[in-house]
Amino acid sequence: MGGKLTVFLGLLCCLVSASFADPPAVSIQTTFADRGEFYHITLAEQDTAAPGVYLTGIGLQQQFQAYAVKVDTDGVAIWSRLWGSTNYMYDCLWRNGMGRMIGFTTENSTPDYKVVQFTGAGSLNDQWDFGGNVRADRGSGAEYYDSTFTIVVGSVTPGDSSASDGSMVLVNDQGSVEWSHTYHASAAIRRVQRIASGNIVLFGTADSVAGRNRDFWFGRTDSAGALLSSRRFGAARAEELYDAVRVSANLSLLVGSTRSFGDSTKTNIFVLATNDNGDSLWSDVLGGTENDAALCVLPVADRDSGFVIGGYWSEQHLGTRNAFLLKYDQDFDSMWTVIQSDTVVVSEFRDVAVDSMFQYHAAGIRNTGLPHGYYAVTTVDPAAPLQHNPDPFSILSPADNAFFTVDTIRFSWEAATDPDPGDQIAYALLLDTDTLFDNPQAIGPLSQTTTRLTRTEDIFDRYWRVMAQDQHGNLRLCTESYRHVRKIRPDSTRAFNLIEPLDGHAIVNPFATFSWELPIDPDSLDETLMYSLFFQVGDSVTLIDTLLDTMATVNFTDHPFIHHSDTVTWWVIAYSNYPQMQRHSTQTWTFVNWNVDVDDVTQLPTDFAMMPAYPNPFNATVNLQFSLAQAGDVQLRIFDVTGREAGTLVSGRLAPGVHVVQWNGENAASGVYFARLMQGGNVATQKLLLLK
């Protein structure tokens, strides 16, 4: 067989004293109420639809069912589902928020391959079965071939040359078979992996041959499933493979049981390393005088580049099976062993996974007279020298899209903890102008979970998040992708004067050019100014708004009240929307109309209009002035920028004329509001800015 062979004939628990690292402790263990057996565990930590831990296998509530359970961080079931009555599920794939259990069903005249697909929320999404009507097809493992097809492996009975042969089937997402192969050298295939070259590697158990019992079996096929090479590994008596993993072309690890060493009536743990050429690199046999077996193997991607093996060993003399986890380092020396010792209750670990914190999650069976699903979680692996990232944490305030009018903003977040003893954590507040965070400004290091940031510019508009880092450089971003915060300081331009026509000047034509100085922002040039040019005769006001230049030529021909008036008052208001600001010209001037004699002035009736509010911006109370041409039902309401009503000032019938109403905004938050005046089909709106 090649390689080195080490036989341990003592109890498996003796490995604890031989290992050079303390084992992790078991922090969580749960035995579920439903009768059943777990064969697979999935840590869907990055699945955005339904992150969590999913346990799958065979339910035994009503015959044999596809069985799935989702658990929380304390090992408590969030939901539990059972589907069918003749389903045997041994493997599970996970992709895009969907679990896909693989096994077989006995619903038909002969067993057929079975696939049961479910969502992260526990809903049955799809299911299909496939296989022949002559032979029994039993699925035991699977791998995604690409985005459309799935490889399913198992066995067919009877085989072409023996009681059973290994099999592999390529099936699409509708359950249609693309191709299938039977491998006579293999009695059953349990694991499959597609590698970068497109080839497929298979792991299983070889059938008995002359002079040999069953052995470990390794095969390699092309992308269409045609066998390129195969090898068998074992000794004179039976070896049974239960799990395997290919790490690289130079290393695959195969685990199971053997009867070839010691008492042939008992099984020992058999671990074998090989490469893609089928060369045996090393092997170990572990166990005592009772039945022991390795049922699962997991490569651990820490600095050890080691392996964790799970299964069962048997209590001396009693024969009671006890679940165990065993770790090998990169030199294939055992590091530690975790054993769930119990002289009464039977337990087995049939699958193991590791999370980002190097805690091991194991699933299997615990038999307390009836079989029940069993789930356990360890503490952080002390034998992993890799420094861990700080634990996940969330940011607290400000809320997303928070708006400020003050210069100082307080940011806060949860404290992040570190699983490595003695590690200290510092934080950095990251600010960027977009959500990519490809060139963020980092403020830190910060020792506390809060910081105050003062920005004096008129506009501070940023996306923010927080990063935690320990003294070894290990990082953890907050759980939120980002939050948005905006600060606007309502400021004012410098005072500006009117230029022409001069105060009291008589215009000689029904049109005139009005001009004023350019208001300069004393802080920066960060705002686009706009202007409103106002004209007033008596109580009637009209305006031309959204002017971008400091001059405007106005034609008064046929204007309803300016055309027949003698003296007209005019002024200008400069404003910007971002930041919100208004500034009244320093003067309010008049001009004399071109065609009206001073002694022949006739007062026109009041028009429907809103005059400028004053003061605006305001701190607590603002005066709203408006005129009505005729009596009627009138509504005057205040709205915020989201369109939510902030108050009703008038709702009822008013007489014609000029009216003044006050709004007390002391209970309202700082920001922009709108006063809306409505009478019949007439609507006028005034922008208000409340500053506190």
Side-chain angles (χ1 to χ4, degrees):
M1 181 171 58
K4 68 183 181 74
L5 183 65
T6 304
V7 181
F8 293 86
L9 296 179
L11 290 176
L12 182 61
C13 56
C14 292
L15 292 174
V16 178
S17 60
S19 61
F20 57 85
D22 293 330
V26 175
S27 59
I28 296 173
Q29 53 180 327
T30 303
T31 303
F32 294 89
D34 290 340
R35 295 195 302 274
E37 305 176 357
F38 292 134
Y39 284 89
H40 193 274
I41 182 170
T42 302
L43 304 184
E45 293 179 290
Q46 303 303 317
D47 179 56
T48 56
V53 178
Y54 298 86
L55 312 171
T56 57
I58 303 173
L60 302 173
Q61 294 293 98
Q62 298 177 359
Q63 297 183 352
F64 303 94
Q65 299 139 310
Y67 183 28
V69 178
K70 180 180 179 181
V71 299
D72 62 16
T73 55
D74 295 320
V76 178
I78 299 173
W79 53 254
S80 176
R81 301 289 187 269
L82 295 161
W83 294 291
S85 59
T86 58
N87 295 327
Y88 303 76
M89 299 289 110
Y90 295 103
D91 201 3
C92 184
L93 303 177
W94 191 268
R95 187 166 64 185
N96 298 329
M98 202 80 69
R100 181 174 290 183
M101 288 187 280
I102 291 91
F104 67 91
T105 178
T106 58
E107 181 180 5
N108 304 313
S109 57
T110 59
D112 289 327
Y113 298 114
K114 181 76 175 187
V115 176
V116 175
Q117 187 163 280
F118 64 96
T119 69
S123 299
L124 181 64
N125 176 264
D126 202 356
Q127 59 181 324
W128 60 87
D129 53 73
F130 47 93
N133 294 322
V134 177
R135 299 189 299 179
D137 304 290
R138 294 179 172 86
S140 56
E143 166 102 330
Y144 282 116
Y145 185 86
D146 55 23
S147 61
T148 304
F149 289 92
T150 301
I151 310 170
V152 178
V153 296
S155 64
V156 293
T157 305
D160 293 341
S161 60
S162 62
S164 68
D165 288 335
S167 66
M168 179 167 63
V169 179
L170 186 69
V171 59
N172 65 18
D173 286 348
Q174 288 74 46
S176 298
V177 175
E178 180 75 6
W179 49 252
S180 64
H181 291 277
T182 300
Y183 305 100
H184 307 312
S186 170
I189 300 174
R190 292 187 180 271
R191 291 291 175 261
V192 55
Q193 287 182 242
R194 191 169 190 229
I195 59 180
S197 65
N199 287 354
I200 301 170
V201 292
L202 305 172
F203 304 96
T205 301
D207 206 351
S208 301
V209 295
R212 293 285 293 273
N213 228 314
R214 293 161 69 96
D215 292 322
F216 282 8
W217 183 82
F218 167 84
R220 186 163 58 91
T221 79
D222 62 17
S223 60
L227 190 64
L228 301 176
S229 63
S230 68
R231 289 289 300 272
R232 59 189 298 157
F233 308 92
R237 299 187 182 94
E239 280 74 46
E240 189 75 30
L241 182 137
Y242 292 108
D243 198 10
V245 62
R246 179 186 183 274
V247 179
S248 67
N250 299 316
L251 179 63
S252 293
L253 205 67
L254 293 70
V255 301
S257 66
T258 178
R259 296 180 183 271
S260 298
F261 305 92
D263 185 354
S264 62
T265 65
K266 306 292 184 180
T267 60
N268 289 313
I269 298 166
F270 188 32
V271 182
L272 173 95
T274 183
N275 57 25
D276 281 0
N277 294 325
D279 301 322
S280 177
L281 306 178
W282 63 270
S283 58
D284 261 3
V285 176
L286 313 170
T289 60
E290 304 291 342
N291 288 314
D292 313 302
L295 305 179
C296 54
V297 59
L298 169 75
V300 183
D302 60 9
R303 292 178 187 173
D304 294 329
S305 298
F307 300 88
V308 171
I309 297 170
Y312 65 85
W313 76 279
S314 297
E315 181 73 20
Q316 185 76 6
H317 306 303
L318 297 177
T320 303
R321 294 183 177 183
N322 288 259
F324 78 87
L325 295 176
L326 161 70
K327 185 175 183 182
Y328 281 99
D329 67 9
Q330 59 185 346
D331 297 320
F332 310 116
D333 293 321
S334 63
M335 301 186 66
W336 50 251
T337 305
V338 175
I339 305 172
Q340 297 298 87
S341 297
D342 196 314
T343 59
V344 177
V345 178
V346 171
S347 61
E348 300 176 6
F349 286 143
R350 293 175 175 173
D351 196 22
V352 60
V354 63
D355 61 25
S356 58
M357 307 306 297
F358 290 94
Q359 300 171 120
Y360 299 104
H361 300 245
I365 182 176
R366 198 164 186 265
N367 197 323
T368 58
L370 293 171
H372 295 270
Y374 182 41
Y375 170 61
V377 183
T378 73
T379 56
V380 174
D381 182 0
L386 177 66
Q387 283 286 327
H388 302 92
N389 295 327
D391 292 337
F393 68 101
S394 298
I395 51 181
L396 300 176
S397 63
D400 195 24
N401 295 319
F403 176 84
F404 292 88
T405 57
V406 296
D407 289 345
T408 299
I409 304 173
R410 180 179 179 270
F411 297 86
S412 65
W413 52 91
E414 293 178 341
T417 58
D418 198 295
D420 302 312
D423 276 4
Q424 302 295 317
I425 295 178
Y427 305 94
L429 173 65
L430 305 181
L431 304 168
D432 210 337
T433 56
D434 56 39
T435 61
L436 298 177
F437 282 86
D438 51 2
N439 188 29
Q441 175 192 3
I443 298 175
L446 305 169
S447 59
Q448 303 298 319
T449 59
T450 183
T451 188
R452 294 180 183 272
L453 182 65
T454 300
R455 306 302 292 259
T456 59
E457 60 262 52
D458 292 344
I459 304 171
F460 174 72
D461 195 350
R462 295 292 186 274
Y463 297 92
W464 68 281
R465 63 199 311 188
V466 177
M467 176 179 288
Q469 178 176 330
D470 65 19
Q471 68 265 37
H472 302 285
N474 298 302
L475 304 175
R476 172 74 69 177
L477 278 169
C478 58
T479 53
E480 293 83 353
S481 299
Y482 56 83
R483 285 188 184 179
H484 177 240
V485 63
R486 183 176 65 174
K487 170 240 143 181
I488 294 177
R489 185 175 65 180
D491 65 345
S492 177
T493 64
R494 288 176 180 157
F496 67 99
N497 298 318
L498 302 179
I499 298 177
E500 64 174 345
L502 295 175
D503 189 25
H505 182 74
I507 63 174
V508 297
N509 297 303
F511 57 85
T513 298
F514 297 82
S515 64
W516 51 92
E517 293 178 339
L518 174 68
I520 302 299
D521 188 325
D523 303 314
S524 65
L525 297 177
D526 58 2
E527 55 185 314
T528 299
L529 289 175
M530 292 175 285
Y531 308 93
S532 291
L533 176 58
F534 288 84
F535 300 97
Q536 182 173 359
V537 177
D539 293 331
S540 299
V541 178
T542 187
L543 77 153
I544 304 172
D545 62 2
T546 321
L547 297 171
L548 299 178
D549 200 356
T550 58
M551 63 183 300
T553 299
V554 184
N555 193 328
F556 299 106
T557 304
D558 298 328
H559 191 280
F561 58 83
I562 295 178
H563 183 79
H564 299 289
S565 303
D566 61 342
T567 301
V568 179
T569 302
W570 71 283
W571 67 91
V572 175
I573 290 181
Y575 65 94
S576 67
N577 288 328
Y578 195 48
Q580 292 88 356
M581 177 279 304
Q582 287 189 3
R583 167 71 98 170
H584 198 291
S585 58
T586 55
Q587 301 96 358
T588 300
W589 283 356
T590 63
F591 66 86
V592 178
N593 207 336
W594 71 97
N595 64 351
V596 176
D597 186 76
V598 174
D599 297 329
D600 190 28
V601 177
T602 58
Q603 297 295 326
L604 295 177
T606 303
D607 197 7
F608 175 88
M610 289 191 75
M611 281 72 86
Y614 62 91
N616 193 19
F618 67 100
N619 176 261
T621 302
V622 61
N623 295 293
L624 301 172
Q625 185 175 3
F626 59 93
S627 62
L628 304 176
Q630 57 188 5
D633 289 333
V634 177
Q635 288 188 340
L636 179 59
R637 297 180 179 178
I638 307 296
F639 299 89
D640 64 16
V641 292
T642 67
R644 185 172 56 243
E645 184 174 335
T648 298
L649 305 183
V650 177
S651 180
R653 187 174 181 83
L654 293 180
V658 177
H659 303 268
V660 178
V661 178
Q662 283 191 340
W663 179 46
N664 187 343
E666 64 180 8
N667 294 325
S670 297
V672 176
Y673 293 86
F674 297 91
R676 181 180 299 169
L677 178 69
M678 298 180 63
Q679 183 187 36
N682 296 319
V683 179
T685 302
Q686 179 97 201
K687 183 185 295 183
L688 310 173
L689 180 59
L690 173 59
L691 299 178
K692 292 187 175 181

